[in-house]
């Protein structure tokens, strides 16, 4: 399956990949070699930590390379009066009886704690293409459904201020 990402997502991933390969990898390899020189590897905590950090970096490099290779680049579309990618949407959740503002983003930049909701999430899918005043059903799974009312939409742009997720 292909991830639908924007040009900015790809650019940010390439920048991180470049940093991890050119800067971080040589540092971590040097740390592993330095820790190895401390002696007995079976009881060498510094060696174990350095090796774990190197392996995490290598894993992230593989992840970023795969994401870039398999990504399908999408354009940010949408009009002023409908919910689109990067729009800030004020909704009233009828289930919890609370108003909240969320921003619809790509899966790579989602962070629910910051109000950044993926366009692939149940809420994101339900809201896309709707207008202010619409009452929309959000289906979490076949047994769990609830309604939200779109109160306001503020068109957004694909800026570089949103970080990409660690994983």
């Amino acid at each position: 399956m292909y991830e639908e990402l924007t040009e900015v997502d790809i650019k940010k991933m390439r920048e991180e990949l470049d940093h991890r390969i050119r800067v971080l990898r040589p540092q971590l390899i040097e740390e592993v070699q330095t820790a190895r020189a401390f002696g007995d590897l079976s009881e060498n905590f510094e060696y174990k930590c350095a090796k774990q950090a190197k392996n995490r970096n290598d894993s992230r490099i593989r992840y970023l390379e795969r994401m870039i290779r398999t990504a399908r680049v999408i354009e940010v579309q949408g009009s002023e009066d409908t919910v689109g990618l990067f729009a800030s949407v004020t909704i009233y959740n009828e289930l919890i009886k609370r108003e909240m503002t969320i921003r619809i983003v790509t899966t790579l930049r989602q962070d629910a704690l910051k109000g950044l909701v993926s366009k692939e999430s149940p809420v994101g899918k339900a809201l896309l293409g709707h207008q202010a005043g619409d009452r929309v059903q959000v289906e979490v799974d076949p047994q769990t459904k609830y309604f939200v009312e779109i109160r306001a939409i503020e068109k957004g742009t694909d800026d570089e201020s949103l970080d990409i997720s660690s994983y």
Side-chain angles (χ1 to χ4, degrees):
M1 184 173 130
Y2 294 101
E3 239 1 276
E4 291 184 336
L5 303 172
T6 64
E7 286 290 342
V8 173
D9 290 333
I10 302 290
K11 179 182 177 228
K12 285 176 139 321
M13 284 191 298
R14 284 191 174 125
E15 288 170 356
E16 181 181 343
L17 182 62
D18 185 58
H19 173 75
R20 286 183 175 276
I21 289 172
R22 295 179 190 272
V23 178
L24 212 49
R25 182 184 270 168
Q27 287 175 354
L28 293 171
I29 289 171
E30 186 177 321
E31 286 177 19
V32 168
Q33 290 170 344
T34 302
R36 181 179 282 157
F38 291 158
D40 183 12
L41 297 183
S42 64
E43 296 180 14
N44 189 335
F45 184 72
E46 290 84 3
Y47 175 75
K48 185 176 183 178
C49 289
K51 192 83 169 146
Q52 285 176 345
K54 181 191 168 300
N55 290 340
R56 273 193 306 273
N57 186 57
D58 290 344
S59 175
R60 180 68 176 176
I61 287 170
R62 286 189 303 275
Y63 170 79
L64 291 168
E65 288 173 338
R66 187 184 75 248
M67 289 291 287
I68 291 168
R69 186 177 62 251
T70 62
R72 193 178 112 215
V73 179
I74 58 172
E75 295 292 320
V76 179
Q77 299 173 347
S79 64
E80 289 291 326
D81 58 344
T82 62
V83 177
L85 194 56
F86 298 107
S88 290
V89 186
T90 302
I91 58 173
Y92 177 75
N93 186 322
E94 295 178 5
L95 181 66
I96 60 173
K97 299 186 182 344
R98 197 171 124 217
E99 186 174 277
M100 59 186 75
T101 301
I102 60 172
R103 188 167 179 194
I104 309 295
V105 296
T106 58
T107 55
L108 196 61
R109 297 196 233 174
Q110 69 186 358
D111 187 343
L113 296 177
K114 294 179 181 176
L116 302 173
V117 176
S118 166
K119 67 182 194 64
E120 302 294 329
S121 70
V123 174
K125 284 181 189 176
L127 293 176
L128 285 175
H130 287 278
Q131 299 177 333
D134 288 353
R135 186 172 180 250
V136 179
Q137 181 178 7
V138 177
E139 185 175 328
V140 178
D141 60 48
Q143 293 80 33
T144 310
K145 302 172 185 171
Y146 62 93
F147 286 93
V148 297
E149 178 189 335
I150 301 173
R151 299 237 165 124
I153 302 168
E154 184 180 319
K155 186 169 173 64
T157 58
D158 185 9
D159 58 23
E160 294 190 29
S161 66
L162 300 173
D163 293 328
I164 59 175
S165 323
S166 344
Y167 271 101

